Amino acid sequence: MRKRFLSLPAVAAAMTLITAWPASATVVWDGSATNGTGVFASVLCDSPSSLTVENWGGSNTPVFGFNKADGSQRCEGHSIRVGGSEYQFTGNNSSAYWLGWQSRTTTGNTGTVFQWKSNGTNDQNDQNYPVLMKVEDGQLKIWYVSPGETWHAAGSIAWSVDTWHKIQLGINARSGTAGSFQLYVDGQLVADQSGVQTWDVLGNKPRWGTYEGPDDLGATRNIIYGLKMGTSRADVD
């Protein structure tokens, strides 16, 4: 990954995002680990990394364990399945895609834990990953990556290891500068951006897990619980 950390200028319209996005509750996808790894369209774990379904803390509560081994680059769940088929994301949906989950990492440097990943190879898209989140240096950081893969810091918040954190991400997927996104962590608004491109040439899909990029992070583990997608923040609360 090429990294250029630049500040994204504030856009006045960002303050209207909540009222602009529909508030009606519609749960589109239940990504609970109870339903197994088939809730993802595919699993991308370089051997010997693995995605496991396990009971948390000796309870009967199933969670996903994204386990990236030392020397391996990634362990991620890619896109989602609804009704047995891969869900078709679009760049002209009338409402935002709201994604919600709880995450717990074992280190403060877990690498990339979420990507709004562009479809196609690098020469087929403009951005590669318009919205990306990392657990890095004891913080959860979110970036907007504009065409040309220019990185703009969109927000950050302190991240405690071995602690559950509630994440709610809303993406209004649009090409040009009609897109927007919001991030809440543990109920606190961390990022609120509009006037950005959130739909690449061939479209985008979500990824969760742990991915190190060019950095040598060693073994990392991201435990995820309660994955959901809907059309409002209330759907994933």
Side-chain angles (χ1 to χ4, degrees), residues 90-103:
T90 72
N92 57 6
N93 203 34
S94 60
S95 58
Y97 296 114
W98 274 95
L99 302 162
W101 66 97
Q102 293 194 49
S103 175

Side-chain angles (χ1 to χ4, degrees), residues 110-235:
T110 309
T112 301
V113 293
F114 175 85
Q115 300 182 64
W116 181 236
K117 178 68 173 176
S118 298
N119 296 324
T121 60
N122 287 342
D123 59 352
Q124 294 175 311
N125 53 54
D126 290 337
Q127 296 170 279
N128 200 359
Y129 25 66
V131 181
L132 181 143
M133 291 191 289
K134 282 189 174 189
V135 171
E136 184 177 66
D137 300 326
Q139 292 187 309
L140 178 69
K141 303 176 182 179
I142 182 168
W143 285 278
Y144 166 61
V145 183
S146 62
E149 205 169 328
T150 301
W151 290 50
H152 308 265
S156 64
I157 190 171
W159 183 268
S160 300
V161 301
D162 293 324
T163 301
W164 287 107
H165 296 279
K166 183 177 183 179
I167 298 173
Q168 298 165 312
L169 174 67
I171 300 175
N172 197 358
R174 296 288 188 277
S175 58
T177 57
S180 55
F181 63 90
Q182 289 182 317
L183 172 66
Y184 289 84
V185 179
D186 296 330
Q188 180 177 334
L189 181 63
V190 174
D192 190 349
Q193 300 289 334
S194 66
V196 294
Q197 180 169 312
T198 50
W199 189 251
D200 211 338
V201 178
L202 298 179
N204 296 82
K205 297 170 185 175
R207 287 187 184 185
W208 295 267
T210 169
Y211 168 64
E212 68 181 6
D215 307 314
D216 184 9
L217 299 174
T220 56
R221 178 167 158 84
N222 184 11
I223 307 163
I224 290 181
Y225 166 75
L227 277 163
K228 288 183 181 179
M229 186 180 81
T231 61
S232 73
R233 185 184 168 202
D235 296 340

